């Protein structure tokens, strides 16, 4: 017979599970822009688990986030009322009631296509992230029962950020890459969009009902591309062309999916425009530069990795880019502000605050 003490512990556990379940769960899929540390547990070079990464994170230590501090999922999580960010799915601490907060499946280096990021070897490609989501749902069902698990998933917010690597670490990775010999750029973009559509439908079939889909940033204007492909300080025209072809077709595809389903499951975020605002006029947003990375080496601090041997700026808030590819925490805050409250120029069909307010009335 159970003791009164053990019954009390069980009652408290069930009460805390019920309280957490009231908050909206948050699931994250995609690449290094949203990876919170899954790659720490994988044999890969695509990692951010050593200093100076995390220098401005609350602990002051690297976590696997490709940021000086908080990343986009951290900041969205705060906005939707989560007490803490969902853990990386591969974290050994991810168990028990932590499952009710959601999970981060993202993995640096991945793309829409399975052959993107082959140089990083052991990363969680998109098909694997979706397999782990199914495994997560089974684990959650074991914790709270199938009915409640389905409810957690259907009421959750999902963020998916993927696509940039399909250009940077695939089509344009090397001159005459396999994909660039196979497809012209317009044909490659159409192929990516058709493959991405399949991924989004898999998420829908897995139970996701509110999915925030981000486009690519201004691919040709990140410090890495200025250093490698830029023209006398200008952005790489070829990568900018890729982004300008891809992003409108992504919105079009999402609109088509919503029309087919009959409701606005997918919300598109125009992250290219969000980035372009501070890339084209950094001073208006309090940055001194949007060309030079805070951490790196070579022209624009855009070559190689951010390491303890790299140049490191003293004030990260003055830099739009933290490392050769990734925005600083301050830039991430500006992006999330537009995701939450931006106009239709930035968010389609509407911003996340409006969606959340609408959902709370259902």
């Amino acid at each position: 017979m159970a003791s009164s003490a053990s019954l009390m512990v069980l009652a408290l556990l069930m009460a805390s599970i019920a309280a957490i379940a009231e908050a909206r769960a948050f699931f994250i899929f995609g690449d290094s822009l949203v990876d919170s540390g899954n790659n720490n547990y994988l044999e890969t070079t695509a990692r951010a688990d050593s200093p100076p990464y995390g220098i401005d994170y609350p602990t002051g230590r690297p976590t696997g986030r490709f940021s000086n501090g908080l990343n986009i999922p951290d900041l969205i999580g705060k906005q939707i009322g989560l007490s803490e960010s969902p853990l990386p799915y591969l974290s050994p601490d991810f168990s028990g009631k932590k499952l009710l907060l959601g999970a981060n499946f993202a993995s640096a280096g991945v793309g829409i296509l399975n052959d993107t990021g082959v140089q990083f070897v052991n990363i969680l490609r998109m098909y694997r992230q979706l397999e782990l989501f199914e495994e997560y749902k089974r684990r959650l069902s074991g914790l709270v029962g199938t009915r409640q698990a389905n409810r957690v998933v259907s009421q959750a917010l999902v963020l998916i950020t993927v696509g940039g690597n399909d250009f940077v670490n695939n089509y344009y990775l090397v001159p005459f890459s396999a994909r660039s010999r196979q497809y012209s750029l317009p044909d490659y973009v159409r192929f990516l969009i058709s493959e991405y559509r399949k991924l989004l439908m898999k998420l829908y079939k897995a139970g996701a009902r509110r999915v925030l889909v981000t486009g690519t940033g201004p691919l040709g204007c990140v410090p890495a591309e200025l250093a490698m492909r830029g023209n006398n300080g200008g952005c790489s025209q070829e990568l900018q062309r890729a982004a300008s072809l891809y992003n409108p077709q992504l919105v079009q595809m999402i609109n088509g999916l919503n029309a087919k389903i009959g409701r606005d499951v997918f919300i598109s975020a125009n992250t290219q425009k969000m980035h372009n605002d501070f890339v084209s006029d950094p001073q208006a947003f309090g940055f001194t530069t949007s060309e030079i990375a805070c951490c790196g080496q070579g022209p624009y601090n855009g070559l190689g990795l951010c390491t303890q041997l790299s140049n490191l700026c003293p004030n990260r808030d003055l830099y739009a880019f933290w490392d050769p590819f990734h925005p600083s925490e301050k830039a991430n805050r500006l992006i999330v502000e537009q995701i939450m409250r931006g106009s239709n120029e930035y968010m389609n069909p509407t911003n996340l605050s409006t969606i959340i307010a609408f959902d709370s009335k259902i």
Side-chain angles (χ1 to χ4, degrees):
M1 190 173 169
S3 70
S4 58
S6 64
L7 285 171
M8 178 77 78
V9 168
L10 183 62
L12 286 170
L13 177 64
M14 294 310 290
S16 68
I17 284 174
I20 296 169
E22 285 305 304
R24 189 172 205 161
F26 187 24
F27 300 107
I28 301 103
F29 299 86
D31 58 26
S32 59
L33 290 165
V34 293
D35 182 356
S36 294
N38 279 311
N39 282 21
N40 295 357
Y41 308 101
L42 299 170
E43 291 295 326
T44 178
T45 55
R47 308 166 71 115
D49 59 345
S50 55
Y53 284 96
I55 190 170
D56 300 310
Y57 192 74
T59 60
R61 297 205 300 270
T63 60
R65 290 162 173 80
F66 285 74
S67 172
N68 57 300
L70 301 178
N71 64 8
I72 286 170
D74 294 322
L75 297 165
I76 291 177
K78 285 178 183 290
Q79 292 278 352
I80 65 172
L82 289 183
S83 57
E84 58 188 278
S85 289
L87 285 173
Y89 187 74
L90 299 183
S91 167
D93 298 326
F94 185 67
S95 62
K97 60 186 182 183
K98 298 274 189 195
L99 274 70
L100 288 155
L101 293 167
N104 189 319
F105 301 93
S107 179
V110 305
I112 296 163
L113 306 180
N114 290 334
D115 57 292
T116 291
V118 286
Q119 70 273 33
F120 302 126
V121 190
N122 189 17
I123 50 180
L124 301 177
R125 305 191 189 283
M126 288 310 302
Y127 76 89
R128 183 64 184 142
Q129 291 185 31
L130 291 170
E131 285 176 356
L132 291 175
F133 186 43
E134 292 300 330
E135 181 181 287
Y136 160 85
K137 290 195 300 179
R138 290 192 292 274
R139 288 175 66 185
L140 185 63
S141 294
L143 183 69
V144 297
T146 304
R147 189 173 168 189
Q148 175 67 2
N150 289 341
R151 187 164 160 258
V152 167
V153 169
S154 67
Q155 294 182 354
L157 175 67
V158 177
L159 169 65
I160 182 165
T161 295
V162 69
N165 283 325
D166 293 287
F167 297 103
V168 173
N169 282 310
N170 191 331
Y171 196 84
Y172 292 108
L173 180 62
V174 292
F176 312 109
S177 67
R179 288 296 191 186
S180 69
R181 292 197 308 272
Q182 184 183 9
Y183 293 105
S184 68
L185 181 61
D187 287 342
Y188 183 64
V189 168
R190 279 189 287 273
F191 173 57
L192 281 183
I193 295 292
S194 70
E195 292 300 301
Y196 202 173
R197 187 181 187 280
K198 293 173 192 172
L199 283 176
L200 294 179
M201 280 308 294
K202 283 179 182 171
L203 266 178
Y204 178 72
K205 285 173 181 167
R209 292 297 178 266
R210 280 292 186 216
V211 183
L212 176 61
V213 185
T214 65
T216 71
L219 296 171
C221 299
V222 300
E225 299 306 332
L226 293 179
M228 292 187 289
R229 295 189 179 86
N231 305 316
N232 300 321
C235 303
S236 160
Q237 292 308 307
E238 195 61 11
L239 273 160
Q240 286 298 87
R241 180 171 164 247
S244 66
L245 284 171
Y246 174 84
N247 287 309
Q249 288 185 48
L250 179 62
V251 174
Q252 200 176 4
M253 180 266 281
I254 286 168
N255 289 342
L257 275 183
N258 285 337
K260 180 185 173 186
I261 292 165
R263 59 176 289 201
D264 293 327
V265 170
F266 300 101
I267 308 144
S268 59
N270 187 345
T271 36
Q272 184 177 16
K273 180 165 175 51
M274 294 173 192
H275 276 87
N276 274 342
D277 287 351
F278 57 76
V279 164
S280 58
D281 189 3
Q283 284 73 25
F285 296 89
F287 298 118
T288 55
T289 178
S290 62
E291 295 181 334
I292 302 165
C294 168
C295 181
Q297 46 279 312
Y300 307 98
N301 279 344
L303 298 179
L305 303 170
C306 167
T307 71
Q308 286 178 292
L309 300 176
S310 299
N311 302 319
L312 180 66
C313 69
N315 185 351
R316 273 70 64 184
D317 283 352
L318 298 179
Y319 288 72
F321 286 94
W322 155 245
D323 71 9
F325 285 105
H326 303 97
S328 62
E329 179 185 312
K330 182 178 172 183
N332 284 334
R333 288 183 181 278
L334 292 170
I335 292 164
V336 170
E337 176 61 28
Q338 292 290 11
I339 287 171
M340 295 306 300
R341 284 169 273 280
S343 68
N344 290 99
E345 275 186 291
Y346 298 91
M347 299 296 296
N348 182 54
T350 187
N351 62 47
L352 196 51
S353 293
T354 304
I355 295 275
I356 289 167
F358 175 81
D359 288 350
S360 68
K361 292 171 185 164
I362 297 173

